């Protein structure tokens, strides 16, 4: 594969991924989960099923710990996650999905399945 073909394929894959991300986000919003952004969905993917620390989430998202902490603060305010004591580290907090967060994650899975079926 030549460089131009590889670039074209890369561009097509990125466009498809971006379109799917946008469609999932729009579907989740349409199901009543207000204030959700694609970044929340990527965070939800790391937090399910057992939660994660802010440090783990930052590594997953490729952002600083400060940026991940701000995202967690936002998701806490919106009722999608909560902080709990970490069962294995008294200094750390575990960020877990709330019932509302799990509902949002299930809605995203449904929208993604619908989009892929089409």
């Amino acid at each position: 594969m030549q460089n131009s073909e590889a670039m074209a394929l890369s561009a097509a894959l990125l466009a498809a991924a971006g379109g799917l991300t946008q469609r999932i986000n729009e579907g989740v919003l349409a199901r009543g989960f207000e204030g959700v952004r694609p970044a929340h969905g990527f965070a939800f993917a790391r937090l399910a099923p057992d939660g994660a620390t802010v440090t783990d989430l930052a590594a997953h998202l490729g952002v600083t710990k400060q940026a991940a902490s701000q995202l967690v603060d936002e998701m806490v305010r919106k009722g999608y996650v909560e902080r709990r004591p970490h069962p294995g580290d008294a200094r750390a907090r575990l960020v877990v999905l709330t019932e509302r967060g799990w509902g949002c994650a299930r809605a995203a899975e449904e929208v993604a399945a619908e989009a892929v079926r089409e």
Side-chain angles (χ1 to χ4, degrees):
M1 183 179 300
Q2 294 185 5
N3 283 344
S4 61
E5 292 171 330
M7 290 297 290
L9 178 59
S10 296
L13 289 171
L14 286 171
L20 180 59
T21 299
Q22 181 177 351
R23 178 133 180 226
I24 292 169
N25 194 65
E26 290 170 354
V28 167
L29 291 170
R31 285 170 167 77
F33 294 97
E34 63 276 344
V36 178
R37 299 181 288 120
H40 297 128
F42 293 116
F44 286 4
R46 176 61 184 91
L47 297 175
D50 299 319
T53 65
V54 169
T55 301
D56 295 334
L57 187 58
H60 174 76
L61 297 174
V63 300
T64 65
K65 286 188 273 186
Q66 292 83 1
S69 184
Q70 289 175 350
L71 183 66
V72 169
D73 289 344
E74 179 185 354
M75 293 188 300
V76 166
R77 281 191 309 274
K78 293 179 179 182
Y80 293 109
V81 302
E82 64 184 11
R83 289 182 172 97
R84 294 184 181 165
H86 193 289
D89 184 350
R91 299 168 299 154
R93 303 283 288 166
L94 195 63
V95 181
V96 297
L97 295 174
T98 61
E99 188 174 320
R100 179 175 174 76
W102 280 109
C104 186
R106 283 189 297 273
E109 288 177 359
E110 292 168 5
V111 175
E114 291 168 9
V116 171
R117 269 195 302 272
E118 293 174 9

